[in-house]
Amino acid sequence: MNTQDFIKIEEQYGAHNYRPLDVVIERAKGIWVWDVDGKKYMDCLAAYSAVNQGHCHPRIINALKEQAEKVTLTSRAFRNAQLPLLCKELCEITGYEMVLPMNSGAEAVETALKAARKWGYKIKGVPEFKAEIIACTNNFAGRTISIISFSTEAQYKDGFGPFTEGFKIVEFGNAVALKNAITPNTVGFLVEPIQGEGGVIIPPDGYLRECYEICRENNVLLIADEIQSGLGRSGKLFAYEYEGIKPDVVTIGKALSGGCYPVSAVLSSREVLGVFKPGDHGSTFGGNPLGAAVAREALKVLIEENLIENSYNLGNYFLDKLKSIKSQHIKEIRGKGLFIGVELKPEAKGARRFCEALMERGILCKETHENVIRFAPPLVITKEDIDWAMPKINEVLQMD
Ligand SMILES: *Cc1c(COP(=O)(O)O)cnc(C)c1O
């Protein structure tokens, strides 16, 4: 079967909730993927930053295989010999006190929202059903009904109401707006330190620090959604580190498993995660030994292979090279670490055709928000790899 055969079958039998580029990937290694026709591509999306450690990292695959032969799932009705170690290692690496493991990013965000509400009622003393959580314009935090309830993207909500109450929206990047929106019933402020799906939007310097101080003054939990920006993507373990703050709650997912298994988690203090009592919340697969073993190894790889430093250094290198490109289509180039967005002018007629042209030349990127090309390759990328890609990127940006 060739590319067209696979596409035809998927179009017939699979729901059309995505519009993928027409490349059918069969295998992958590091930053490279191969399609069913044997063509090789550089992956500059890294599965939305889930494969920061590179595709099929041998150490992570080995951990997966070894654990798969021992025990994969116990449910949390029983304990397993991997979860405690994942929780301990995550706390030691991040400086948080407690971990609540889940599977997808959306589940981690839902868990953080539940924790914030319960903390609001049990600790802060907010009257029942009055808890408010503030989120930002242009946010992305997943696709559950409660999460899309505070989306500002019309398409994400169209046809999916009625929505969950208790959310307020403030402008991303505007700390005064946050301050003005807070009431005595506000329990949490959910924010991405860098908006990924929103188009790699980096807020003004000092924004997150101001939000942190406003939250402290008002006894509101700062909840940083680092599911995409975290675990090395921005050139730091967490993007919030650029602002010298420590959020009250952090959600992680995606690269937590190096793309080898769905694993997510909420990190916080004993005060916040301590609000969950047995039976309050759970997930059949959350904290399973296979996912925990994979995540433990994925974290070790991130640190022991210096991938966070590599993201910082090569992110700067990539960004400088991109900024040296002269193109009539470019409106702005921005990034932190290997989390880079090239925003095109409206006259460029969308980023999609540029992504398709890049694909023809062996580079896989995905347009985000119509006009942005995101460059977010696995963090194992080298200078030589970037040098290989740059003339092709330049060529594509010279199209009419
Ligand atoms: C991807 C993402 C999520 C949702 O993760 P899923 O695993 O797709 O549910 C949440 N927040 C941010 C910032 C993300 O980028």
Side-chain angles (χ1 to χ4, degrees), residues 79-147:
R79 297 181 190 267
N80 72 69
Q82 289 293 335
L83 176 61
L85 303 179
L86 172 62
C87 293
K88 177 170 183 274
E89 288 160 12
L90 259 177
C91 287
E92 285 168 355
I93 292 167
T94 63
Y96 284 91
E97 289 176 340
M98 274 190 163
V99 175
L100 200 164
M102 297 295 281
N103 311 285
S104 69
E107 284 175 306
V109 173
E110 287 274 353
T111 302
L113 299 175
K114 286 174 83 172
R117 282 184 171 185
K118 194 145 192 164
W119 172 87
Y121 297 126
K122 305 290 172 185
I123 312 258
K124 182 168 174 171
V126 171
E128 203 186 6
F129 297 146
K130 296 289 184 208
E132 296 164 356
I133 291 173
I134 301 174
C136 293
T137 51
N138 200 39
N139 71 73
F140 183 84
R143 302 292 200 154
T144 64
I145 287 180
S146 288
I147 290 172

Side-chain angles (χ1 to χ4, degrees), residues 104-107 109 140-143 192 197 225-228 254:
S104 69
E107 284 175 306
V109 173
F140 183 84
R143 302 292 200 154
E192 297 156 81
E197 291 323 290
D225 183 350
E226 291 262 9
I227 290 168
Q228 189 161 162
K254 294 196 168 112

